[in-house]
Amino acid sequence: MEKVIEENKQGTSLVLEPQKNNTKKLFIESYGCQMNFSDSEIVASILSDQGYNTTQNLEEADLVLVNTCSIRDKAEQTVRKRLEKYNAIKKINPSMKVGVLGCMAERLKSKFLEEEKIVDMVVGPDAYKDIPNLLKEVGEGRDAINVILSKEETYGDISPVRLNSNGVTAFVSITRGCDNMCTFCVVPFTRGRERSRDPQSIISEIKDLSEKGFKEVTLLGQNVDSYLWYGGGLKKDFEKATEMQKATAVDFAQLLDTCATLFPKMRFRFSTSNPQDMHDEVIHVMAKHHNICKYIHLPVQSGSTRILQEMNRQHTREEYMDLVDRIYKIIPEISLSQDMITGFPTETEEDHKDTLSLMEHVNYDFGYMFAYSERPGTMAARKMEDDVPEEVKKRRLQEIVDLQQKISLVRTQRFVNQTVEVLIEKASKRSEDYWSGRNSQNTTVVFPKGDYKVGDFVLVKVTDCTSATLIGEAVGFSEMQ
């Protein structure tokens, strides 16, 4: 499960600088994970070449696209409500076309067109380059659909536009798809097999961002630790590769080390990691470079080994805890976050207690916590009864959330009276007189603006905190400036 961008629960309409010769208007809205937002930038780039400028005014759009998430039922219901809104406007503006992108498009496929008739176009995550052809189909009065999953597509040859960019932080995708068949997860069915992007195209994209003044890059993938480039093919075919291909292969630790070395004035983050695929080499590379942020999103899903086996997670409770202990030993200042699912089929009170005790052992800085939501097509939906009552799920989820908030406060308090390095990203939501940014550990920091500006690396003396935010005073520029 990918890390969900919490502030985008309601979706975000994305906009970029208009091209003077473009005459058509695109309204594109994204829901769900960071990968969806990155994909929307690819789509906007493709459509910019087709004469579309983005707009935040839904009513004036010629084409409306929603990039969707299928990770939970609530996410899909949100998208359906938005489609109702689009279609209400379409009745007033019949020339407007509506399309669904992403995971929900891949899962429901032609159902949108044949049964529900609420969209004109359905495009899966690997078919974005086909959008110009699909628009021609729509223009000729035909329904258009392409949900073919690819074994090769990485969009490495497309330079994404940066939608609603602050000019400071950006996402760069390094892998697509997932080979880990967790029984609760739709990603392998909606995004296909795992494949890695050519490292040279990744470096070129980061170089372009650096030249444009960006200061931080997040390397994205469903499972970044599985990154492996050896000149072609899926990761599963690596054993068949030639000895020369194997000798020159690039894994995630090498890619991360290269990025940090080539761009010493840029900060690097990555997401998401899978516990069974995270090797000590990556942790040592993080410790080696000041400009690799000391933060790992490390989904666990459950603290019970029995439930982890039911989920087809390829690690036990003990293996996960051992990994965490090694991370803390190598990088004592690290921050960790989690994904947690409560109420998975057959989960008992003992299993739930195992989750709570694991949280206390790990001391996560924050987390993304959900009650189990059965997803059609997954192994859990096909083979397991959703047998934990809703009221039990809600109670267990509340206990997990309460514990996480308690731990988060303690973890945040450790920064009080310390000086932290902050990259200024934007004005604080609470006061225009304050800047907001994040420290290396991914904790939000707010402080008076002074003479600093967005994009500056600043040293901030922390004087107070909440469970999620550090409050302080800037004391000067950092060595990254």
Side-chain angles (χ1 to χ4, degrees):
M1 182 187 295
E2 293 178 63
K3 176 179 170 184
V4 175
I5 305 177
E6 289 292 286
E7 60 266 29
N8 288 312
K9 281 183 178 178
Q10 301 305 315
T12 295
S13 61
L14 305 170
V15 65
L16 67 152
E17 287 296 317
Q19 299 297 312
K20 186 170 62 175
N21 296 326
N22 287 355
T23 59
K24 294 174 283 188
K25 297 292 182 67
L26 164 68
F27 179 93
I28 182 167
E29 197 167 38
S30 299
Y31 290 84
C33 66
Q34 293 168 329
M35 185 66 79
N36 273 9
F37 288 80
S38 178
D39 279 1
S40 290
E41 294 180 336
I42 290 170
V43 171
S45 180
I46 292 169
L47 286 171
S48 178
D49 292 338
Q50 300 297 312
Y52 286 87
N53 283 332
T54 52
T55 177
Q56 288 185 307
N57 185 352
L58 177 59
E59 285 75 12
E60 72 176 12
D62 300 291
L63 174 62
V64 176
L65 299 176
V66 57
N67 201 340
T68 61
C69 176
S70 280
I71 205 75
R72 298 184 306 281
D73 181 64
K74 184 178 179 181
E76 290 199 359
Q77 294 307 317
T78 300
V79 169
R80 289 190 180 280
K81 289 179 181 177
R82 292 302 290 161
L83 288 171
E84 291 175 7
K85 171 73 172 177
Y86 303 158
N87 277 272
I89 294 173
K90 190 175 180 180
K91 289 179 181 177
I92 302 170
N93 179 16
S95 65
M96 188 179 85
K97 304 302 179 185
V98 177
V100 173
L101 313 176
C103 294
M104 195 171 169
E106 188 66 42
R107 190 181 78 77
L108 295 176
K109 298 180 172 63
S110 60
K111 183 178 180 182
F112 275 124
L113 299 169
E114 295 172 359
E115 296 178 28
E116 302 182 21
K117 300 185 184 302
I118 54 176
V119 299
D120 304 290
M121 183 170 66
V122 180
V123 191
D126 291 346
Y128 297 143
K129 288 180 183 176
D130 196 36
I131 288 177
N133 295 325
L134 295 173
L135 285 172
K136 290 178 183 177
E137 294 285 309
V138 172
E140 293 170 3
R142 293 189 291 271
D143 292 334
I145 181 170
N146 186 340
V147 290
I148 298 172
L149 290 174
S150 169
K151 295 181 180 180
E152 290 83 30
E153 184 61 79
T154 63
Y155 299 110
D157 58 333
I158 293 177
S159 179
V161 299
R162 302 299 164 179
L163 298 167
N164 277 6
S165 173
N166 58 8
V168 176
T169 61
F171 298 135
V172 173
S173 297
I174 66 169
T175 72
R176 296 185 72 84
C178 185
D179 287 346
N180 295 310
M181 301 295 289
C182 300
T183 57
F184 57 82
C185 188
V186 298
V187 168
F189 306 104
T190 60
R191 287 190 172 268
R193 299 304 302 267
E194 184 179 288
R195 61 271 192 199
S196 298
R197 180 178 165 189
D198 181 346
Q200 288 304 319
S201 72
I202 296 170
I203 297 301
S204 294
E205 186 174 337
I206 296 172
K207 182 174 184 291
D208 180 65
L209 289 167
S210 177
E211 290 172 349
K212 290 176 179 175
F214 283 80
K215 300 295 182 67
E216 181 179 289
V217 164
T218 300
L219 304 176
L220 284 185
Q222 265 76 34
N223 184 9
V224 291
D225 295 282
S226 283
Y227 178 88
L228 180 65
W229 174 262
Y230 62 97
L234 301 173
K235 193 183 80 167
K236 70 182 181 64
D237 296 325
F238 183 60
E239 292 302 317
K240 302 175 186 176
T242 67
E243 291 304 314
M244 182 176 293
Q245 285 175 317
K246 291 181 181 180
T248 59
V250 177
D251 64 14
F252 182 57
Q254 292 168 310
L255 176 68
L256 190 59
D257 187 46
T258 299
C259 291
T261 301
L262 289 178
F263 306 98
K265 293 298 184 180
M266 295 185 80
R267 279 206 314 200
F268 290 91
R269 302 183 187 274
F270 56 87
S271 186
T272 296
S273 293
N274 202 306
Q276 75 261 21
D277 295 311
M278 172 161 267
H279 303 296
D280 286 6
E281 289 87 347
V282 171
I283 307 168
H284 284 294
V285 168
M286 293 180 69
K288 171 184 172 184
H289 292 281
H290 173 78
N291 62 328
I292 299 178
C293 292
K294 304 306 184 274
Y295 162 70
I296 302 172
H297 183 59
L298 197 64
V300 63
Q301 312 303 356
S302 173
S304 162
T305 292
R306 188 186 71 81
I307 292 297
L308 290 171
Q309 290 172 342
E310 293 292 322
M311 291 177 166
N312 197 35
R313 301 286 287 176
Q314 302 301 308
H315 62 85
T316 64
R317 166 192 175 91
E318 291 73 24
E319 288 168 340
Y320 184 93
M321 292 166 68
D322 181 60
L323 171 62
V324 167
D325 291 344
R326 296 199 311 274
I327 292 172
Y328 277 126
K329 183 176 181 181
I330 297 168
I331 313 175
E333 71 273 25
I334 199 78
S335 284
L336 300 175
S337 61
Q338 43 87 345
D339 283 346
M340 199 73 74
I341 298 173
T342 190
F344 191 78
T346 76
E347 183 186 74
T348 65
E349 281 301 309
E350 194 63 36
D351 296 322
H352 174 58
K353 289 177 181 177
D354 282 347
T355 292
L356 297 175
S357 66
L358 180 136
M359 292 174 65
E360 291 174 329
H361 177 89
V362 176
N363 281 321
Y364 295 105
D365 287 71
F366 54 93
Y368 303 88
M369 299 149 283
F370 313 102
Y372 173 68
S373 171
E374 186 175 86
R375 308 311 298 128
T378 61
M379 186 61 69
R382 296 200 302 267
K383 302 288 187 180
M384 302 176 187
E385 180 185 355
D386 186 3
D387 60 354
V388 179
E390 284 302 313
E391 61 270 20
V392 174
K393 289 182 184 179
K394 289 180 180 179
R395 189 257 304 165
R396 290 177 184 170
L397 177 60
Q398 192 59 56
E399 290 178 4
I400 289 171
V401 170
D402 289 345
L403 177 58
Q404 183 58 65
Q405 288 180 338
K406 177 182 175 183
I407 296 171
S408 292
L409 178 59
V410 174
R411 292 293 290 168
T412 307
Q413 286 172 336
R414 81 189 196 271
F415 293 111
V416 174
N417 296 323
Q418 291 190 16
T419 299
V420 298
E421 183 181 77
V422 179
L423 173 59
I424 301 175
E425 299 179 28
K426 58 187 177 181
S428 170
K429 291 180 179 178
R430 299 205 172 182
S431 172
E432 279 295 320
D433 296 327
Y434 279 68
W435 287 126
S436 174
R438 288 173 294 162
N439 67 358
S440 179
Q441 288 80 9
N442 207 38
T443 304
T444 297
V445 185
V446 297
F447 58 95
K449 285 186 173 180
D451 295 326
Y452 303 102
K453 64 183 185 301
V454 169
D456 284 345
F457 283 103
V458 180
L459 296 175
V460 177
K461 178 69 179 293
V462 179
T463 56
D464 200 359
C465 72
T466 68
S467 63
T469 305
L470 301 175
I471 304 158
E473 297 278 346
V475 296
F477 291 109
S478 82
E479 64 184 50
M480 289 285 289
Q481 185 65 17

